Amino acid sequence: MAEGSRGTGAKDGDRPLRRDAARNRERIVRAAREVYGLRGLGVTLDDVARHAGVGVGTVYRRFPTKEALVRAVFEQDLAMRQQSARQALEHPDPWRGLVDFLMAMTADLAENRGLHEVLLLGSHSSEPFETARGGMRPHLEALIRRAQDSGQLRAEVVPSDIPVMQQMLIAAAQFTQGRRPDIWRRYIEILLNGLRQRPDDPPLTTPGLSDPLVEQLMGPVRPEPAQAPPGEG
């Protein structure tokens, strides 16, 4: 079938896509979101094509490299995380705003293996991902400072503590091997109790990880070799 009549706002580079080409692109992105969410970024473009119900050549026409597809799937997710942080900063209760942000972020990471790998493990190379990840830091710093200034968050807490905590929570969810994927909610309650400032809190005796070390552990991400379309190379 030819790629139909024009009539959609979707684009391939600077060119508007024809209607059926746009539908194929949307189907591929939706399928990739599902398989990346369930299985992580280790799946191939062939896996995505099978899940989308299209030929692998169709996937390569829309996304010539795996990086292009990963970017299409997750750039919006990272932008939504920044929006979530901005909304948390507008909450009238600084502690509640921080808690809401941490709960929403951890839920996303626990339910979406691909997003976890992109955001916390630096499993895929993309300048927009690095920019988006770096753009989260000012919001996180502001959330922490605001909660500390209100007297509700321990003064020792630093931004680098948050990704480490989230990694701990995701590990708890993965430990149940799918039987209790929501178990992280129990452990985030325990962690939040530890984060909250109380008059009788003993001081923390072990320093947190440095920001450069956390950045090193989360990245910098390494580029993946481009996948050649079938029949090439």
Side-chain angles (χ1 to χ4, degrees), residues 34-46:
E34 292 173 359
V35 294
Y36 288 154
L38 289 172
R39 298 164 54 190
L41 301 183
V43 300
T44 66
L45 294 186
D46 292 44

Side-chain angles (χ1 to χ4, degrees), residues 12-27:
D12 184 5
D14 293 327
R15 297 175 301 171
L17 292 178
R18 294 180 179 180
R19 184 174 290 118
D20 58 342
R23 281 198 299 265
N24 280 339
R25 187 184 191 281
E26 292 167 4
R27 181 185 302 173

Side-chain angles (χ1 to χ4, degrees), residues 45-56:
L45 294 186
D46 292 44
D47 295 324
V48 173
R50 281 192 294 272
H51 193 70
V54 301
V56 68

Side-chain angles (χ1 to χ4, degrees), residues 45-46 56-57 59-61 63-65 226-233:
L45 294 186
D46 292 44
V56 68
V59 176
Y60 279 106
R61 280 195 295 274
F63 303 98
T65 66
Q227 296 186 25
E232 294 188 9

Side-chain angles (χ1 to χ4, degrees), residues 144-165:
I144 289 174
R145 183 170 57 252
R146 189 167 172 256
Q148 287 172 333
D149 289 346
S150 73
Q152 299 179 84
L153 177 66
R154 297 183 70 122
E156 302 101 320
V157 175
V158 294
S160 64
D161 290 326
I162 303 305
V164 178
M165 286 174 47

Side-chain angles (χ1 to χ4, degrees), residues 9-170:
K11 292 187 176 182
D12 184 5
D14 293 327
R15 297 175 301 171
L17 292 178
R18 294 180 179 180
R19 184 174 290 118
D20 58 342
R23 281 198 299 265
N24 280 339
R25 187 184 191 281
E26 292 167 4
R27 181 185 302 173
I28 292 164
V29 171
R30 184 167 58 249
R33 182 181 298 278
E34 292 173 359
V35 294
Y36 288 154
L38 289 172
R39 298 164 54 190
L41 301 183
V43 300
T44 66
L45 294 186
D46 292 44
D47 295 324
V48 173
R50 281 192 294 272
H51 193 70
V54 301
V56 68
T58 300
V59 176
Y60 279 106
R61 280 195 295 274
R62 300 278 72 87
F63 303 98
T65 66
K66 184 175 179 179
E67 178 182 348
L69 179 56
V70 171
R71 285 178 58 179
V73 171
F74 290 109
E75 280 182 352
Q76 183 178 6
D77 291 84
L78 297 182
M80 289 170 63
R81 301 291 69 72
Q82 291 194 25
Q83 177 61 25
S84 174
R86 287 191 288 268
Q87 290 175 347
L89 283 169
E90 295 172 359
H91 199 290
D93 182 342
W95 172 256
R96 193 68 249 170
L98 176 62
V99 169
D100 288 352
F101 172 74
L102 294 177
M103 293 289 287
M105 175 71 81
T106 308
D108 287 342
L109 296 174
E111 295 167 5
N112 190 326
R113 182 173 171 182
L115 182 62
H116 169 228
E117 292 180 7
V118 164
L119 195 59
L120 289 187
L121 302 185
S123 297
H124 204 81
S125 174
S126 174
E127 182 179 349
F129 287 165
E130 291 303 294
T131 300
R133 207 164 67 176
M136 288 293 300
R137 184 175 178 82
H139 299 302
L140 183 57
E141 290 174 339
L143 284 167
I144 289 174
R145 183 170 57 252
R146 189 167 172 256
Q148 287 172 333
D149 289 346
S150 73
Q152 299 179 84
L153 177 66
R154 297 183 70 122
E156 302 101 320
V157 175
V158 294
S160 64
D161 290 326
I162 303 305
V164 178
M165 286 174 47
Q166 289 181 324
Q167 186 65 14
M168 292 163 57
L169 294 166
I170 304 310

